[in-house]
Structures are given as structure tokens and as C-alpha cells.
Amino acid sequence: MPGAPDGRDGRHRRREPASVLRGIVAWVRRWPRWCRRALAALIAVQVALVVAAAGYVAALDLPPDPDPPQASVLYYRDGHTVLARIGTTDRTDITLAQVPEGVQRAFLAAEDRGFYDHAGVSVRGLLRAVWSNVVSGSGEGASTITQQYVRNAYLTQERTVSRKAKEAALALKVEHRFGKDEILERYLNTIYFGRGAYGVEAASQAFFGTAVSRLTAYQGAVLAAMVKDPTRGDPAVDPEWTLNRWKWIIRAMSEAGWLPEGAADTTPYPTVAGESVTAATIGGPSGLITDRVEDELAAAGISRQQVRTGGLSITTTLDATAQRAATTGIDEALKDQPAELRPALVAIDPADGGVRAYYGGDRGRGFYDDAQAARPAASTFKPLALAAAEEHGISYRSYYNGTSPRLFEDRGGAPLYNLDNLQCPICPLDTAMVYSLNTPFYALAEQIGPRLIRDLAVRLGVPEKYGDQTTLVDVEGEPSPGETRADIAIGRYPVTPADLASVYATLADGGVRTPRHFVESVTGAGGRVLHEYAGTGTRVLAAGVAADVGAVLQQVVAKDGRVPGVTAAAKTGSQQYGTTTDSSDAWTAGWASGLAVAVWIGRDKPGPIRTSGGKVINGDGMPYAIFKKFLSAALDGRKVAMLPRPANVGHMDKGDLATLEDPATTAPGEVFPGPQKGDLVDRKLAVGTWRERVARLTGTLDKIAAVEGTDFAVSLVDRRTGNRYDYHGDRGFATASVVKVELLAALLLTAQGADRSLTTAERDRARKMIVASDNDAAVRVYAAIGGADGLRSALHRLGLDYTAPNAQFGLSTTTANDQVRMMSALTTAGGPLTEDSRTLILQLMSQVNADQSWGVSAASFDGEQTALKNGWLARTSEDGHWIVNSTGRISGEKTDVELSVLSHGHATRQKGIDKVEQIAALTRSFLGW
């Protein structure tokens, strides 16, 4: 009622505005004079800013509606030959009424929840942008949907205070001219979503294969998540980032009351197409080139949206002649070859770092790029070891021990072989390079320190990391995680073909490294220059060292085949596949004056690489043929300078011939073949029927036993034919260390019974026990399985009823037939051991150390795999004579046998080993399996 009291007790009444104002004025008058003056100045500044801002907005005209997006053109380095066109033709404008309300709300939740309440500008975002530019230079700051529309429709993507101010002013103009619904409609039709999709309708088709009018709010949130980062936001690129962003949007919609509470945690993420349903792609090798160009421009501040819609003219570094030579050479080399073979080729101009030819695959853009995939570089890394050695005063003419095999301390007892077991006892490093010998370069790496080679590799062009993984170091599960071992000298660590090309380009330019790049310049639709490459070279290696490496690699070319019309330097490399004689990665890398190139052949996932005719592909085969043809064609018609003469850096007296037992037996630089697998086998003896061959073998073994006075037994099962053979196969012998296979089987059976895997400690003991034949580890395993009683129980389950455990495991007795039964239990399904258990035992048996790899392996040939366990024991009860046993499996394309040779009565251990290998080889010689 009028006149009613204002307050709980009627004593306080509402004060008139004039009275309030007079009170404020009186309060301010009580301030000190300097405070009153400061306040007046602040008010005057604010009024002036408001007046200036209003004048700026009033003076700024809203541009006409933007032109439709235009494709950008990529040119070869000549600036006029078209390489490819990148552009979005995938755009269909729709009305806001065609966008479901839930989809609209998803964009509002993601980008501007107060869209319908503000006048077009986020004051907080504008102030944040000013602050971040002034203080940190980051250019951050939130934008309203209106501001985003203005930026996409009328402005550039640069992040500066002036652009932000202009964006805010134009946003106010847009809000004055158009209604909120029309602004939202324009925004949804102009925003870029990735996959070449421009506008929400095109995005709906590209990601869901359907019209936006059929999308749910949850599908709309998927599209809204991509606005922040159209590349990373693609679920096929970074699904974790996209899922987290999607859940954040769903929670925001729930908070606004647009979706049920908890929807983000109870609603499954919508199914999205793995690749664009609609957008046309650039096919062939050019597709991946356009991807790399986009990556480079994005890093330079030119957005992918600008590239795809801005009508840019992009001059690349690619050379039309070189690119044609790369594509033609690879196509011809792989014609009618197995489909699983994958090639890569990267060619770089050493003088400026420009990529002149690039082949990472032929499936088009967006697909896997083999030129960017890290693979073991094999022997193409030996030149880096040589360069590092010369930096430390070691000449390429220094002599190293090139015998094969050799044992090195950090290889855990595993022998290192040269290819084809070539021998070069007194070996100059240049000769070792020409014949691609492993043992001299491994010794060199140990001598100077592997880390120095890694440091040089990084200087030459290998990045410090691939993703989160440090390059050129052991990873988890390898002997020294985080450390670089001497394996770097023989290329066991992976690098990408592109980075290897950069390394060789640095060597080719005399040790000057210039960053690899694809783009020379970019101009906008109006002719304004947006980007120009400005990289410069940096000396990272002495010119004399680079010249020496080039001179040595010219010797490699002289041996492997000269490049027609060109003086070239090159190194081939082949990464061994497992323990086979196949390769999984085959390389050639090298250069001529003006062009460095790396060529790789391999598979998507590591596996043996062979031609359609079954021939193993090594670096000096298909990759070298591609290298020669490419280099000759790419440089055809150009005047190519000679490569620099050697500078002869370093001294010749720093080799490792002290490790050579008898250096006087061969001449310096002499290379000759060493013993080969299967040398003891005489296949001419395998004639006649199986029965006839068995009779001859038995007669021969009888003579050996009678004449030499040794006692032995042989058992064999040929799983391929079903044939069996035994010579005293049921006679009992002390097991020595071959029983360690049964100990591991018993341990695995114990773990299986408890429904668990082996612990880390158990796996470590198992490896030591089998691979290194470590007795201490075996004693602990024996105790863990319950000693003799536990082993006896396991043997019964395995069907080894003629093997009798002893308290000292090595004095247990067994038969050759039981040992073959043990091997059968490891290769046959349906027994008590699981597949994982069988696989583990066989893997360890195939990785035995050098001093454990004798025995039945003497009956194997190149291309066959051997999994074995050997044992020896000297017994006082036998006058110190030796027990020597060998059991294993030999497998290959046409071979799958289980063989055991048990023996005792040998005067020395070596004589026992020799006898076991002779018997194993005779078994194959006569039986011919």
C-alpha cells in the first residue's frame, strides 16, 4: 500500500535517487584531493576510450559477404607446373531450420553459451587477448560465435591485438545488421571441420554419411568438438582428445538443462566414419606430398582452412623431373611384385634442404606415409660411425679385427656375424664399409663410445625424439633402456627414410645442414606474400670428414654398380628378420653432387621381404636398383660436378688388432668367406629308400662307436614326413643342462595351475637358465617347482616317463627319445602346456648365447631356424670324462625336425662338442630331411 513502511520495523524507508547521489558525492568529497583527481582522470580516460571505440566502430564498414572458398594450387619449384590442387568443393549451405535444436545447442555449449544474450563481443575475451599479446605474446583469448564468424568470413587467422580489435568492431556491426538466428546460420555454414568439409552439412556427410537434419544432439557434439582444432579433433587422428572434448561439451549441455544429467558418462560415443565419406582426395604419391605441405604451412602459421579455402598459390621445392623419376622408378621396380612390399623414396637438394622428390606411398592423402615411418637403418648408419671416428682422430685406413663371429661385452653373449660370415682379419675401415662388415664397426663404436655416434646423428639430421620416444636408444624390454649401445653402428635403431635422406644431404653438402622443407613461398589470392622459406645452413661436421666419408662410399658404388652418367657415393643396408636369413628392411642411401636420396623397401609390419620369384630382398638388390635409376634420371641433362677428393683425416694407428689372436695369417684387407651353416652335411649321402638310408646311417654310427670308444644315442622325428629314427634312443644318459628345458616347462605348468603368468623375476631366471645356461638360476627354478618330486610330476604330465630326476638336476637321467618327446610337447597343440608357454620356451631356445649355440645346429642350413638346448658335464665317476648333449628343433620352409644327441666318455669338452656336431650332421647327411 502507498506509504507503507520500507523495512521490517517500519523505520527505514526507500531513499530517492537524488538522495543516494548526494550521499555518494559527500562521501567522495571526504577523500584526499589526489584520490579525487585520480578518479576524475580514470573516468575521463574511460569516457574517451568509449568515445574512441564508438567512433572506430562507426567508421568501420562491414565488408560485403565473403566470396565462396577457393582451391589452393601447389606448383612445382618452377612456379608454373601444377603439382596438385587443394580445395574444398564439399560445401552445401542450409537454413538454420534444417539443423536440429540439439545440434545447435551443442555448438552453443562448445563455443558460446551466452550467444543469445550478448551484443556480439566477449569483453572478457577481448581483454584476455590484449593481456596475452602484451605480456606473453601468445595471442590467446575467447571469441563469441559472432566473432568467430567475422574472423572466418572477413579476416585472417593471425593473432594480434589489431586483428582482435577489428574482429570485435565487425562483430558489433554484424549483430546490428543481422538477427541472432541468421548469424548462427551463417556461422554453421562457414566453419571448417576438417576432412575438406566446409559447413555443418558437409561435415555431417563427411563424418556420419547423412544429412545434418538427421543428427542427434550427441552426434552434433562430435562435430562441435572439431571446431577448436579441425585436424586433431578428427576422431581418426586423436580419438582420446576428441572423446575428452566431446564429454566436456555433453556435460556443458547437461548443466544448461539441454541433456539429462550424467549423459556424458552414460551415453556411448557416436560411431564416426574412419575416413571422409564424401570428400574427394588427391590420389597417388602427390597426396602425401600435399599432406606434408599442409603440415609445414600449419607450423608456419597458415591454417589448414586457409590452405583449403583461401585460393593460395604455393610454390613447392619439388622438381617435376625428379618426382617423375621417383614415381616411374618405383612403379617399374614393384611391377608384378608381392603386394605386401612397401617403398619409400626421399630426395633432397643438399644446398638448400628442399625436397626434390618424395614417395611415401601411392594411396593418396591421409594414408600412412612410409617415408615418415621409423625403421631400423641397418648398414646405412655405418658411414655415421666412420664420421664420428674421424672426428676423434681415427682414419678410414685404420685396421680393425673383421673376423666373424665375434663376441662383444654388451651383447649378453650373443655372437655378432658379418653378412655371409665373411672374414677380414686385418681390415681397413674403408674395406669394411665396402663389404658391409659388422664386426669392425661394432668394435669401432665400442672404442669411441656409442653416444658420440648418436650425438653426430642428431647433428646431421635425426630428431631428438619421435613422438615421446627418444631416438637412437634402447626402449623398454631391450638391454639398456634409455641408453645407446654399439648397435647404433650397425643400424639397429630406427630412423625414417626422410630423416636418413636429411643425414645424407648434410654429408653431401660437406657437413653443412640445411633444414628439410617442402615449401618455397606462398601468396594469397590478391598476390600478397604470406610466407617465404628463409632457412639457412649450419656447419655441423668438418668438410674434410664429409669428403672422406664420400670417398669411401664411392668405393661402395664401384663395387655394387656405378650410376650411369653420374659420380655417386652410396651405402646399402639390410636389416635381418629375426634369426632368419631374410631381411625385413632394405635400404640404399647416397648422393651425387646436387641431390641426396634415401630408398627403403619393407612391409607395413616387419616381416620377410622377397621378390615374386622368392629371392630375398637386400639393400644391394631392389633398393640399389631404384637408387641408381632414380639418380641417373633425376640428374639427366644437368652438369653434375665431381665429388670432393678425400682429405685423409685422422691417424692409422688406432685400430683394434690387439683383439686378433693371430694377425700374421692373412694379408691386410684380404676378405674371404668363413665357415657356413651346413658345412658338415654331405647331401650326396642321402640316396635310396628311407630304409636303405637308415641302414647306412646305423652302420656308420656303429663304426664310430666301436673305433672311438664313445657312447652316444640319437633320436629324430621328421614332422613333415612322419619318419622317425633312433639309435639307442631308449638308453639312459645323464642329462647335464638339457634338463633345463624340462625345468622351465615344470615352472610354467606350476604357474598355469595357479592361473597366473610368470613374475618378472621368474621370467628373468628362465631367460638366464635357457639362454645363458645359468646354473644358479636353474637351482632356484628347481627349488621353486618342488625339487625332484615336482619335476617328476611335471615329467609325467609331459609324457617323459623315461626321465628320472635327481636331487642335483644335472645328474638326472634321460633318453634321446624322451628329449624328442619334450620337443614335440613344445610344437604340438593339445598337451598340458598352453600356446603361450610353448612359445616362450621355443623363443628362449632360439636365442641361446654364442657359447651355447653349437650342437644340433650343425645339421641346419641358411634360411632355417634352430631352437636348442645343450649341456655338458665332467664326472669324477667317469675318470673326468665329459658328458655332452644337444637337443633341439630345426625348422624352415621344407624342414621341421626334432633331434637329440646324447653322449658321454669324451676326453675333453671340445672333443665331445665336435663329436655331437659330427653325429648330428651325419644324421642329416644320410637321412636327407
Side-chain angles (χ1 to χ4, degrees):
M1 295 176 63
D6 182 21
R8 286 178 297 176
D9 57 6
R11 289 176 296 175
H12 300 285
R13 301 180 182 276
R14 182 179 292 109
R15 298 174 65 187
E16 296 297 328
S19 175
V20 173
L21 181 59
R22 284 194 299 271
I24 293 174
V25 171
W27 176 66
V28 170
R29 283 177 176 172
R30 291 196 295 271
W31 290 9
R33 180 179 297 176
W34 68 269
C35 287
R36 296 198 302 271
R37 288 178 176 176
L39 176 62
L42 178 61
I43 293 173
V45 169
Q46 288 180 330
V47 170
L49 288 174
V50 170
V51 171
Y56 178 71
V57 172
L60 195 64
D61 291 328
L62 188 65
D65 283 348
D67 293 328
Q70 299 179 40
S72 295
V73 182
L74 272 63
Y75 296 97
Y76 283 101
R77 62 192 295 251
D78 60 16
H80 59 79
T81 304
V82 175
L83 170 62
R85 296 180 186 273
I86 305 178
T88 175
T89 56
D90 190 10
R91 171 175 174 172
T92 305
D93 288 353
I94 56 172
T95 65
L96 189 62
Q98 294 174 270
V99 183
E101 186 178 44
V103 176
Q104 295 180 39
R105 287 173 167 175
F107 283 90
L108 296 177
E111 299 299 321
D112 189 357
R113 298 176 205 179
F115 172 69
Y116 281 98
D117 299 320
H118 60 63
V121 176
S122 168
V123 176
R124 183 184 63 179
L126 184 59
L127 293 176
R128 185 183 301 170
V130 173
W131 176 263
S132 62
N133 271 277
V134 171
V135 175
S136 65
S138 66
E140 295 179 1
S143 294
T144 66
I145 279 178
T146 309
Q147 288 174 271
Q148 290 184 50
Y149 167 69
V150 165
R151 182 168 64 248
N152 289 318
Y154 305 120
L155 302 175
T156 67
Q157 301 292 320
E158 64 180 342
R159 294 181 175 181
T160 62
V161 173
S162 61
R163 198 274 296 157
K164 197 73 179 177
K166 190 173 183 180
E167 173 189 298
L170 289 176
L172 295 173
K173 288 278 191 176
V174 166
E175 288 274 350
H176 179 71
R177 178 176 296 184
F178 306 116
K180 286 289 189 179
D181 285 351
E182 186 174 356
I183 294 171
L184 182 59
E185 177 183 298
R186 285 169 171 258
Y187 169 79
L188 292 175
N189 280 323
T190 55
I191 202 72
Y192 180 64
F193 290 87
R195 294 193 181 183
Y198 192 80
V200 70
E201 173 66 15
S204 180
Q205 296 286 355
F207 288 90
F208 295 106
T210 189
V212 69
S213 60
R214 302 176 62 121
L215 296 188
T216 67
Y218 300 100
Q219 290 172 313
V222 172
L223 300 183
M226 298 175 197
V227 173
K228 186 177 181 67
D229 189 335
T231 300
R232 192 177 185 186
D234 189 332
V237 174
D238 193 339
E240 182 178 359
W241 186 93
T242 307
L243 177 62
N244 291 336
R245 176 74 176 165
W246 177 81
K247 286 186 174 182
W248 179 83
I249 294 170
I250 298 300
R251 290 191 184 103
M253 295 178 74
S254 296
E255 291 171 3
W258 296 335
L259 288 176
E261 187 175 348
D265 300 315
T266 59
T267 306
Y269 186 78
T271 301
V272 179
E275 57 188 66
S276 178
V277 178
T278 58
T281 187
I282 299 173
S286 297
L288 293 177
I289 293 173
T290 60
D291 284 344
R292 301 293 76 81
V293 167
E294 270 199 19
D295 291 343
E296 190 170 308
L297 292 181
I302 298 176
S303 72
R304 299 178 192 276
Q305 183 173 347
Q306 274 182 281
V307 173
R308 300 190 186 205
T309 65
L312 308 182
S313 293
I314 303 167
T315 300
T316 72
T317 62
L318 277 293
D319 181 85
T321 300
Q323 184 63 28
R324 184 166 54 252
T327 303
T328 301
I330 288 176
D331 287 347
E332 291 178 355
L334 268 67
K335 184 179 181 182
D336 300 325
Q337 296 295 340
E340 66 265 19
L341 293 181
R342 302 277 286 269
L345 183 152
V346 180
I348 298 172
D349 188 329
D352 65 5
V355 177
R356 298 292 185 250
Y358 191 87
Y359 192 111
D362 63 357
R363 293 179 292 176
R365 52 179 330 188
F367 282 91
Y368 191 79
D369 188 344
D370 284 303
Q372 299 290 326
R375 318 278 187 170
S379 292
T380 59
F381 239 60
K382 287 173 181 170
L384 279 70
L386 177 59
E390 287 212 342
E391 282 195 312
H392 291 80
I394 300 174
S395 167
Y396 68 81
R397 296 173 293 172
S398 298
Y399 292 116
Y400 280 77
N401 175 0
T403 58
S404 173
R406 283 185 65 180
L407 293 175
F408 294 96
E409 186 175 342
D410 74 343
R411 289 178 59 82
L416 181 65
Y417 286 85
N418 292 328
L419 181 66
D420 297 328
N421 205 29
L422 288 176
Q423 308 291 318
C424 182
I426 306 175
C427 204
L429 285 175
D430 59 345
T431 300
M433 185 76 74
V434 171
Y435 287 90
S436 203
L437 304 181
N438 291 327
T439 57
F441 282 100
Y442 202 95
L444 175 65
E446 283 199 336
Q447 180 183 357
I448 65 174
R451 193 74 190 188
L452 294 180
I453 302 175
R454 183 192 184 273
D455 292 344
L456 174 60
V458 171
R459 277 188 276 141
L460 293 177
V462 177
E464 282 282 358
K465 288 188 174 184
Y466 288 135
D468 296 330
Q469 176 60 53
T470 301
T471 56
L472 306 176
V473 298
D474 278 8
V475 298
E476 290 298 325
E478 293 182 331
S480 303
E483 298 296 325
T484 301
R485 292 184 297 111
D487 272 352
I488 189 173
I490 56 176
R492 294 287 172 83
Y493 296 118
V495 297
T496 71
D499 289 331
L500 190 65
S502 289
V503 166
Y504 273 67
T506 304
L507 292 171
D509 200 30
V512 176
R513 176 185 173 184
T514 306
R516 181 178 74 246
H517 64 287
F518 286 84
V519 180
E520 286 293 346
S521 64
V522 181
T523 57
R528 184 165 68 97
V529 176
L530 303 179
H531 170 77
E532 279 188 317
Y533 178 74
T536 58
T538 304
R539 177 161 296 284
V540 296
L541 182 70
V545 174
D548 280 357
V549 173
V552 172
L553 297 193
Q554 287 181 70
Q555 296 181 48
V556 175
V557 171
K559 175 180 176 292
D560 290 345
R562 298 188 182 277
V563 179
V566 176
T567 301
K571 184 69 190 81
T572 62
S574 308
Q575 176 62 33
Q576 182 181 5
Y577 178 59
T579 58
T580 72
T581 55
D582 282 295
S583 296
S584 61
D585 302 271
W587 297 80
T588 294
W591 69 87
S593 181
L595 200 61
V597 59
V599 179
W600 168 85
I601 299 290
R603 293 171 59 162
D604 182 15
K605 295 181 179 179
I609 51 175
R610 295 192 174 194
T611 66
S612 55
K615 183 179 179 181
V616 173
I617 298 175
N618 289 322
D620 58 359
M622 185 183 293
Y624 192 67
I626 293 172
F627 168 83
K628 289 197 302 178
K629 188 167 186 176
F630 165 77
L631 206 55
S632 181
L635 296 174
D636 187 35
R638 291 173 51 181
K639 185 176 181 180
V640 180
M642 300 293 289
L643 297 181
R645 296 176 61 84
N648 296 315
V649 175
H651 306 282
M652 294 178 56
D653 57 353
K654 296 187 176 183
D656 77 334
L657 290 187
T659 63
L660 195 61
E661 293 181 4
D662 187 4
T665 56
T666 58
E670 182 181 356
V671 181
F672 55 92
Q676 303 295 307
K677 290 183 70 175
D679 277 353
L680 296 178
V681 177
D682 185 356
R683 285 180 158 172
K684 296 191 299 292
L685 299 176
V687 294
T689 66
W690 174 260
R691 185 185 298 255
E692 291 169 342
R693 283 179 277 154
V694 164
R696 289 199 303 275
L697 173 60
T698 300
T700 301
L701 296 181
D702 283 340
K703 290 179 182 178
I704 293 173
V707 172
E708 301 182 13
T710 54
D711 191 14
F712 55 86
V714 180
S715 182
L716 174 138
V717 173
D718 186 338
R719 296 173 59 83
R720 187 174 57 86
T721 64
N723 289 326
R724 294 173 179 267
Y725 175 79
D726 80 82
Y727 181 85
H728 304 314
D730 285 330
R731 182 181 296 173
F733 289 80
T735 61
S737 285
V738 294
V739 77
K740 291 172 181 174
V741 175
E742 282 84 352
L743 294 185
L744 178 52
L747 180 63
L748 288 164
L749 288 174
T750 301
Q752 289 176 198
D755 195 25
R756 67 175 179 85
S757 300
L758 296 185
T759 65
T760 301
E762 287 173 332
R763 293 183 73 91
D764 184 55
R765 282 195 289 272
R767 170 172 288 279
K768 289 179 180 178
M769 181 175 68
I770 302 297
V771 175
S773 203
D774 186 288
N775 287 330
D776 291 337
V779 168
R780 298 187 67 178
V781 171
Y782 204 24
I785 65 174
D789 290 339
L791 179 58
R792 186 176 294 107
S793 175
L795 292 171
H796 180 71
R797 294 181 62 187
L798 292 166
L800 277 60
D801 296 327
Y802 298 93
T803 300
N806 185 284
Q808 298 181 47
F809 64 83
L811 298 182
S812 298
T813 58
T814 189
T815 68
N817 286 347
D818 254 11
Q819 289 304 302
V820 167
R821 292 186 188 104
M822 181 70 245
M823 295 307 301
S824 294
L826 299 179
T827 54
T828 305
L833 290 167
T834 65
E835 181 179 358
D836 287 344
S837 295
R838 299 195 306 272
T839 298
L840 173 63
I841 298 175
L842 286 172
Q843 283 178 342
L844 294 178
M845 292 177 70
S846 67
Q847 298 169 9
V848 295
N849 288 349
D851 60 353
Q852 304 291 319
S853 61
W854 47 269
V856 300
S857 62
S860 65
F861 289 97
D862 281 340
E864 296 176 341
Q865 293 180 282
T866 306
L868 54 77
K869 188 74 195 82
N870 299 322
W872 58 64
L873 183 68
R875 296 189 67 179
T876 55
S877 60
E878 297 188 17
D879 297 327
H881 284 185
W882 286 80
I883 298 163
V884 180
N885 301 328
S886 183
T887 296
R889 178 195 185 199
I890 301 172
S891 58
E893 287 186 1
K894 300 179 179 180
T895 305
D896 191 357
V897 299
E898 291 144 3
L899 175 64
S900 179
V901 180
L902 308 181
S903 68
H904 68 94
H906 306 288
T908 66
R909 185 181 70 180
Q910 189 57 50
K911 287 184 178 180
I913 291 173
D914 293 343
K915 187 56 59 181
V916 167
E917 292 191 331
Q918 178 193 11
I919 292 168
L922 282 171
T923 303
R924 184 161 195 173
S925 297
F926 281 100
L927 300 185
W929 39 271

